[in-house]
Amino acid sequence: MVLRHSLGRQTTRRCLTQQSQYLVAPLPASRRGLAAPSSGSFQYETGDASGIKIASRDLAGPTSTVALVAKAGTRYQPLPGLAEGLEKYAFRNTMRRSALRIQREAELFGASLFSYHTRESIVLGAKFFRNDLPYFVELLHEVASRTKYLDHEFKEQVMDLVHRDQVRQLANTHRLAQASAHSLAFHRGLGEPVLPTSSTPLHKYLSHDAIGAYSSLAYTKPTVALVANGVEHSELKKWTGEYFNDLRQHPAPGVPPFLGQEQSQYFGGEERIAHSNGNTVVLAFPGSSSLTGGFYKPEVAVLAALLGGQSTIKWSPGFSLLAKAAHKQQGAGIDVDTDSHIYSDAGLLTITIHSKHYPGSVRDVAADAVSILKGIADGSGLEEKDFKRAVATARFKELEHGQLPQAGLELTGAGMVQSGKPYQLDESAEKIGKVEMSGVKKAAQDMLQFKACVSSVGDLFHLPYGDELGLKV
């Protein structure tokens, strides 16, 4: 049983009363408890509550997810490691609750808490029974505005977690190559690594005071949005208005401003990193921004599906062109994947080729990938049947993504903060479905006009240089 003194009195009474009603008797027919299963829509309803941008989808089901999305990812941090450190302080001690109390209360509600950061956002969220919304909206407000940034927590817990992430990244050639490709593509801003490298002198930049100061920059009304799935919009607006009313409007005096606010610029180039724990090559090209950005290109999503690399069909390499190329290297443990990384004002299409023990096979598949991309650009390697399959796959992936509980939370929150528009999965899927073969061909041609990003991590004696693959670097 939840003790009243352990929660805000009004919040506890409301949550427990609503939860008991939910378990004992069904909601009245006049009240919309679940979304209509036949609607098939993933549209977010948007609004504003006490100066906080909000968006929600009332998806069918007894559980809900709510997330606070802050414009405070590594792109914007004034010093290395601040986004990582701030995320690691989430759901620890606040002015009202200890970390232990937050954990125990979440367990009593049967909920789970999560936090992570990306290049553009810090995301704090919770998954819970839908009638417990008031408690978790209040908790997110408390984490954003009343967290204690204690020195002993920084030294004993936060930095330990940061160092562990650094070690994990150092051992992962895939992560190193992806970080390298983004750095080559965008330099600063989006080029900043999601996790600080092991050689970054964090002791010069990170402290509990520096992270606390960054929190006042990250968690302000203009820089956050509250996004929910499985929640009635009127309920989200009501509780956001009640609990977020006193969130700061401006950062604390003297706090350095955000970096990376300028329009992202693409550069390109090549980097080679010797490593003994695998072999990875990433080929990257200019891609598409998010749907909410000004540079959205649905053709890039179709091109990524056409190149592919991962089969969606049991016992078959699938239709994608890179999956067929990798299939020729059976026994080499080749893993190939094509991703379209979308951001608020830019994007990056990456082709990742990895093998633990066979760098020569990585080199051969990388050469095939470049030939395939050039074939799409000149039309010789683009067949209508493969194009139709790619459109269907890209559209299906977009709509399937919309059925996941956390789907669109970060993209919608980032879109709301950056441009005031939510990421509508229905709309993006519709645009993907209208892509024509000539558009995919032109997208490939445009990519090859730029300098490519070629990041090689592993046995450099065997891994190729960009010019050996026929790329402009």
Side-chain angles (χ1 to χ4, degrees):
M1 182 176 180
V2 181
L3 300 178
R4 288 187 178 178
H5 68 269
S6 68
L7 305 174
R9 289 193 174 196
Q10 295 300 322
T11 301
T12 306
R13 188 179 296 115
R14 291 181 189 119
C15 287
L16 293 179
T17 300
Q18 290 175 352
Q19 193 175 66
S20 64
Q21 290 173 347
Y22 183 78
L23 294 173
V24 173
L27 294 172
S30 60
R31 181 178 171 190
R32 185 181 177 221
L34 302 177
S38 60
S39 66
S41 175
F42 300 125
Q43 292 286 316
Y44 277 97
E45 187 176 352
T46 62
D48 183 280
S50 296
I52 303 292
K53 301 175 185 68
I54 61 173
S56 65
R57 298 187 300 176
D58 192 4
L59 300 178
T63 62
S64 302
T65 304
V66 65
L68 183 144
V69 182
K71 175 188 167 184
T74 54
R75 170 180 182 168
Y76 303 109
Q77 60 188 9
L79 295 172
L82 285 178
E84 169 88 350
L86 183 56
E87 178 239 309
K88 294 292 188 286
Y89 263 108
F91 303 110
R92 295 188 183 275
N93 296 303
T94 71
M95 299 294 184
R96 290 188 56 206
R97 296 173 170 90
S98 67
L100 178 62
R101 181 173 153 186
I102 291 173
Q103 294 164 13
R104 292 295 181 262
E105 289 173 1
E107 289 171 350
L108 286 168
F109 282 109
S112 63
L113 307 175
F114 61 87
S115 65
Y116 62 91
H117 72 282
T118 64
R119 284 185 163 81
E120 294 195 301
S121 303
I122 291 178
V123 183
L124 316 177
K127 294 183 283 187
F128 49 88
F129 290 113
R130 65 160 54 217
N131 285 323
D132 296 333
L133 176 67
Y135 170 79
F136 290 98
V137 172
E138 183 188 26
L139 178 61
L140 289 177
H141 165 263
E142 193 171 316
V143 171
S145 63
R146 292 181 171 83
T147 292
K148 293 180 180 179
Y149 297 93
L150 303 174
D151 186 41
H152 75 272
E153 282 189 335
F154 172 77
K155 293 176 179 176
E156 297 172 9
Q157 299 174 344
V158 172
M159 282 308 297
D160 180 60
L161 292 172
V162 171
H163 289 318
R164 290 186 187 189
D165 284 344
Q166 289 179 305
V167 171
R168 279 194 290 267
Q169 172 156 293
L170 183 63
N172 190 313
T173 59
H174 181 279
R175 287 186 181 182
L176 288 173
Q178 284 286 342
S180 169
H182 276 80
S183 178
L184 292 170
F186 302 113
H187 291 184
R188 301 189 184 277
L190 289 175
E192 294 294 330
V194 176
L195 300 175
T197 61
S198 59
S199 58
T200 304
L202 292 179
H203 64 278
K204 292 172 54 178
Y205 306 113
L206 282 189
S207 68
H208 67 288
D209 288 332
I211 295 173
Y214 187 55
S215 74
S216 78
L217 186 66
Y219 301 137
T220 65
K221 287 186 177 181
T223 58
V224 303
L226 214 62
V227 187
N229 286 337
V231 170
E232 293 182 27
H233 189 73
S234 59
E235 289 291 298
L236 180 64
K237 185 171 184 177
K238 173 184 175 182
W239 299 117
T240 302
E242 178 168 334
Y243 292 122
F244 277 80
N245 185 52
D246 63 345
L247 187 69
R248 64 179 69 88
Q249 184 72 33
H250 304 287
V255 175
F258 281 131
L259 297 182
Q261 303 255 42
E262 64 278 1
Q263 169 65 45
S264 295
Q265 182 180 351
Y266 178 85
F267 295 93
E270 183 168 15
E271 184 174 21
R272 296 168 65 79
I273 303 170
H275 205 287
S276 61
N277 195 40
N279 305 277
T280 302
V281 169
V282 171
L283 311 177
F285 307 88
S288 166
S289 74
S290 169
L291 176 67
T292 58
F295 305 92
Y296 178 66
K297 303 172 186 176
E299 296 83 5
V300 174
V302 177
L303 178 58
L306 180 62
L307 291 169
Q310 301 293 316
S311 176
T312 58
I313 307 299
K314 196 75 170 176
W315 316 124
S316 167
F319 76 91
S320 70
L321 305 182
L322 288 180
K324 295 175 182 176
H327 189 64
K328 299 175 185 176
Q329 302 287 337
Q330 285 187 5
I334 290 287
D335 185 46
V336 185
D337 198 17
T338 306
D339 288 305
S340 176
H341 302 270
I342 56 176
Y343 304 106
S344 60
D345 62 351
L348 195 68
L349 181 89
T350 61
I351 301 170
T352 305
I353 306 148
H354 173 81
S355 175
K356 178 75 173 177
H357 302 294
Y358 297 93
S361 296
V362 172
R363 178 194 60 226
D364 294 341
V365 175
D368 289 341
V370 175
S371 298
I372 288 168
L373 186 60
K374 289 182 176 181
I376 294 172
D378 64 25
S380 63
L382 182 58
E383 297 185 12
E384 186 174 359
K385 62 178 183 180
D386 289 333
F387 166 74
K388 289 181 178 179
R389 291 168 179 167
V391 171
T393 299
R395 185 168 176 269
F396 176 81
K397 285 182 177 180
E398 191 76 359
L399 292 174
E400 182 190 36
H401 182 64
Q403 294 179 298
L404 302 176
Q406 290 177 230
L409 289 175
E410 180 201 335
L411 290 171
T412 292
M416 293 291 290
V417 172
Q418 301 277 0
S419 62
K421 297 186 293 184
Y423 188 95
Q424 302 288 21
L425 290 160
D426 285 355
E427 184 179 343
S428 59
E430 182 181 359
K431 290 180 180 293
I432 289 172
K434 294 179 179 179
V435 170
E436 298 181 354
M437 195 155 63
S438 58
V440 174
K441 179 180 176 181
K442 186 177 186 306
Q445 291 171 346
D446 291 343
M447 289 179 184
L448 292 172
Q449 294 300 314
F450 290 88
K451 289 173 62 177
C453 300
V454 181
S455 298
S456 302
V457 182
D459 184 351
L460 300 183
F461 180 77
H462 292 282
L463 295 181
Y465 284 90
D467 59 349
E468 295 173 347
L469 299 173
L471 289 172
K472 185 193 303 184
V473 291

